[in-house]
Amino acid sequence: MRPIALNRKNALFAGSDGGAEHWATIASLIETCKLNGVEPHTYLADVIARIVAGHPQSQIDDLLPWAYRPMPLKAVA
């Protein structure tokens, strides 16, 4: 992923105020991952999969980048 500084002009074309807010949220998550030594693509894919699988809302803090622990890989038989 390219650094956010290279994407400033692209963010101008978010389409709407809501789109710009969503862009800012995703950009913030990606940069927070980098600061915490977490690979952003793997993090986002895993967190989305966990939410879809029914991760409890009461434990949502466990999914934040600074508290994130990847799920152990399952052995393939």
Side-chain angles (χ1 to χ4, degrees), residues 1 6-9 11 19 22 26-27 31-32 38 41 43-44 53-54 56-58 60 62-63 67 75-76:
M1 290 185 186
L6 298 177
N7 291 326
R8 286 186 185 144
K9 288 184 181 180
H22 291 131
I26 294 297
E31 290 303 313
T32 302
V38 176
H41 184 268
Y43 166 77
L44 290 171
Q57 288 185 358
S58 61
I60 203 76
D62 297 343
L63 300 180
V76 177

Side-chain angles (χ1 to χ4, degrees), residues 2-14 20 23-24 27 31:
R2 292 182 180 181
I4 295 300
L6 298 177
N7 291 326
R8 286 186 185 144
K9 288 184 181 180
N10 293 338
L12 292 174
F13 302 101
W23 169 255
E31 290 303 313

Side-chain angles (χ1 to χ4, degrees), residues 8-67:
R8 286 186 185 144
K9 288 184 181 180
N10 293 338
L12 292 174
F13 302 101
S16 66
D17 289 343
E21 287 180 28
H22 291 131
W23 169 255
T25 301
I26 294 297
S28 177
L29 263 176
I30 290 170
E31 290 303 313
T32 302
C33 284
K34 290 178 184 178
L35 288 172
N36 286 283
V38 176
E39 201 282 313
H41 184 268
T42 304
Y43 166 77
L44 290 171
D46 187 35
V47 167
I48 290 169
R50 287 185 192 196
I51 291 170
V52 169
H55 188 83
Q57 288 185 358
S58 61
Q59 297 175 1
I60 203 76
D61 290 344
D62 297 343
L63 300 180
L64 296 173
W66 51 86

